[in-house]
Amino acid sequence: MNKILVAPSILSADFGNMAQAVINVKEWGGDIVHCDVMDGVFVPNLTFGMPMVQALRKYTDLPLDCHLMIIEPEKYVERFCDAGADYVTFHPDASKDVRGALEKIKAKGVKCGLVLNPDKPLSMIEPYLDIIDMLLIMSVYAGFGGQKFIEESIKKLEDAKKMLDGAGREILLEIDGGISEKNAKAVADAGAQILVAGNAVFTAENPESIIKQMKNYT
Ligand code: DX5
Ligand code: ZN
């Protein structure tokens, strides 16, 4: 069994105290800091951009995983890389130049990935299996934390795992939306290697225990 990594999403943290949030993520045993970037256009919500990523970079040595929910990500991906991102992912349906954006990220020495909302098919990813380092499957519609996990995502993960196994190169499989210690085993068994969790971690009385349960689900 592959090691499961947990990526707490700071979307559910106290926006008045983000530096402390990323420090906490490490203390609680989180592996990656998931940063949800929303533009109010691709999704009906606004969060933060490159300056926040750059600011948080100083407070943690954990990888920063930037999930861009913005239109025309090709215009901004390099600036997220320069701000200190370790992974930059975006939604292919938001981009006019998917390959160009992926190439820009790679050229910066940063891992690149694509994200699929629940209604977007895996076939959208196929043309990019030669370049992506990560595939992020949304198990809720991107835009807000605290939504309910969509059960059909399990089957999509299984199909995604098969597709990625056939790619002949290492591509990480990440799941995001409604993930908690309760469904961690199901999504990990279906092939997810990185589990994003916002509410489950940040509203927990004991976040360390929640992260531990998500990692050692067997
Ligand atoms: C939703 C974001 C998620 C969100 C997950 O658009 O991409 O990363 O923070 O939050 P939970 O775990 O609360 O569903
Ligand atoms: Zn996300």
Side-chain angles (χ1 to χ4, degrees), residues 197-215:
N199 263 33
V201 169
F202 280 96
T203 65
E205 236 165 75
N206 185 348
E208 193 176 345
S209 151
I210 297 294
I211 291 175
K212 202 179 265 173
Q213 289 174 57
M214 290 176 75
K215 281 166 123 164

Side-chain angles (χ1 to χ4, degrees), residues 9-12 34 36 38 43 67 69 138 140-147 176-179 196-200:
S9 164
I10 54 171
L11 181 62
S12 298
H34 186 80
D36 286 304
M38 305 187 191
V43 289
H67 171 194
M69 288 158 271
M138 292 305 300
V140 300
Y141 281 89
F144 298 91
Q147 302 181 72
D176 181 6
I179 304 297
V196 176
N199 263 33

Side-chain angles (χ1 to χ4, degrees), residues 130-141:
D130 63 314
I131 181 166
I132 57 169
D133 301 298
M134 182 191 275
L135 170 58
L136 171 52
I137 300 289
M138 292 305 300
S139 37
V140 300
Y141 281 89

Side-chain angles (χ1 to χ4, degrees), residues 65-135:
D65 172 24
C66 294
H67 171 194
L68 307 188
M69 288 158 271
I70 64 175
I71 58 162
E72 300 186 74
E74 55 276 11
K75 289 186 180 166
Y76 303 97
V77 287
E78 286 165 308
R79 287 156 71 189
F80 278 97
C81 295
D82 293 342
D86 295 278
Y87 299 91
V88 176
T89 66
F90 62 89
H91 293 247
D93 41 318
S95 177
K96 290 180 183 146
D97 183 14
V98 174
R99 184 165 289 273
L102 293 170
E103 281 169 353
K104 281 181 185 172
I105 300 166
K106 290 287 251 201
K108 289 281 185 183
V110 171
K111 306 269 187 212
C112 68
L114 291 172
V115 193
L116 289 180
N117 258 323
D119 62 347
K120 296 289 179 283
L122 291 171
S123 58
M124 284 177 77
I125 302 301
E126 263 170 26
Y128 308 107
L129 289 176
D130 63 314
I131 181 166
I132 57 169
D133 301 298
M134 182 191 275
L135 170 58

